[in-house]
Amino acid sequence: ASQQMTNQSVFDRVPNCVGALICGPDGNVLQSQGQLNNREDLAKLVLGLLYRAEYLLQQSGNSGCFQSVTVHCDDGFHYVITCQHDKIYVVKKSNSA
């Protein structure tokens, strides 16, 4: 079961952040907040996206790895995904200022 992040979460300092989650390399949600609270379905989708992106990089001959992935959606939001220390961080941000 995932834990809800505290109100003093590091994500509170991210501009236009409406939700966040942290998951492990297996896609299990470790912590979540806001619009991404308990979104285990999204964590699994993100994990699949990252595996696909890594595969495409390898197929193109790029031996390096990516630092982050940004997915822009038509609904006025975008997702910023980063990987660090065996954790996947997902932040949902509003496109409006």
Side-chain angles (χ1 to χ4, degrees):
S2 68
Q3 299 177 1
Q4 187 168 353
M5 294 180 192
T6 65
N7 289 337
Q8 300 300 318
S9 167
V10 66
F11 294 109
D12 292 340
R13 292 180 254 146
V14 176
N16 302 324
C17 177
V18 297
L21 66 81
I22 300 172
C23 62
D26 56 0
N28 287 329
V29 175
L30 304 173
Q31 294 180 320
S32 60
Q33 75 175 35
Q35 292 183 8
L36 301 186
N37 195 35
N38 296 321
R39 290 290 312 273
E40 295 192 24
D41 59 324
L42 180 66
K44 301 288 186 194
L45 184 69
V46 165
L47 187 63
L49 173 72
L50 294 176
Y51 281 130
R52 184 68 177 158
E54 183 178 33
Y55 172 79
L56 291 172
L57 284 173
Q58 290 173 352
Q59 292 301 308
S60 69
N62 188 338
S63 61
C65 61
F66 53 85
Q67 293 182 346
S68 68
V69 174
T70 302
V71 178
H72 294 270
C73 301
D74 291 337
D75 61 359
F77 296 97
H78 64 279
Y79 296 84
V80 180
I81 306 160
T82 58
C83 303
Q84 187 175 18
H85 304 297
D86 291 329
K87 291 191 176 119
I88 301 166
Y89 299 85
V90 182
V91 176
K92 181 178 181 181
K93 297 176 74 174
S94 171
N95 292 338
S96 60

